[in-house]
Amino acid sequence: MSMDMTTVGDSGLLDTLQHEVALFARRAEQTRLGGVGQVRNSMDRAAYLLLNRLDKEGPMGVKALAASMGIDSSTVTRQVAPLVDTGLVKRTSHPEDGRAVVLQLSPRGQARLEEVRSSRRQLMAELTQDWQPEEREAFCSLLARFNSALSSRMSAQGMPGPEAQPES
């Protein structure tokens, strides 16, 4: 049985929550939470998520990459094109089916991804410098849980989620 939380007396808290989530989304997009220094804002979200997925899961075809990210194959194809053009991703033929394409993080892509990750880690450290380690862990846990709930809701409604699995 689903419970409408707005009838449980939490409406003020839920108003605050939805407002803070809206502010977070706007600020995250405005700053792109890109990191610090020269690397700040140097890689868009789509590129970062695609490179991160290829790094974590290894070489894969467009359809597999799209499925693992919960997005359409045509979206992956469109987003990967500039990554191939700039040498961050390599396209190769599938070893068993030469007609199929396999996408793989290039050495340049690996180096660039690590540079961006490092910059983003530094930003997260700066933003949470006055937090206790337990607070950082709790925030990560709750944010992952929130993202998972959003993804589940989108799936239940027949919409592809922005990510099938959380990214780190």
Side-chain angles (χ1 to χ4, degrees), residues 54 59-65 76-77 80 84 89-104:
L54 287 171
M60 65 179 75
V62 171
K63 286 182 182 180
L65 182 57
V76 167
T77 300
V80 163
V84 171
V89 171
K90 295 188 300 186
R91 269 193 191 119
T92 58
S93 296
H94 192 283
E96 296 166 12
D97 180 0
R99 298 168 296 165
V101 172
V102 174
L103 301 170
Q104 179 177 354

Side-chain angles (χ1 to χ4, degrees), residues 24 26 33 37 41 56 58 77 98 125-126 131 133-134 148 150-151:
F24 172 76
R26 181 174 54 189
L33 289 181
N41 292 337
K56 288 179 182 256
T77 300
E126 288 177 15
W131 296 19
E134 303 82 38
S148 178
L150 279 174
S151 182

Side-chain angles (χ1 to χ4, degrees), residues 1-15:
M1 179 170 117
S2 177
M3 182 180 287
D4 180 0
M5 292 303 293
T6 60
T7 62
V8 184
D10 259 357
S11 64
L13 180 60
L14 294 175
D15 285 346

Side-chain angles (χ1 to χ4, degrees), residues 12 14 25 27 40 45 65-66 72 75 106 114 126 133 140 167:
L14 294 175
R27 288 185 179 132
R40 181 170 151 43
R45 181 182 60 236
L65 182 57
D72 189 77
T75 301
S106 71
E114 188 48 45
E126 288 177 15
C140 287
E167 291 291 341

Side-chain angles (χ1 to χ4, degrees), residues 5 10 18 25 28 39 46 48-49 57 60 69 98 101 110 129 131-133 157 163:
M5 292 303 293
D10 259 357
Q18 68 81 22
V39 180
Y48 177 78
L49 292 173
E57 295 186 19
M60 65 179 75
M69 296 184 71
V101 172
Q110 182 68 54
Q129 67 183 343
W131 296 19
Q132 295 297 315
Q157 294 176 343
E163 283 299 309

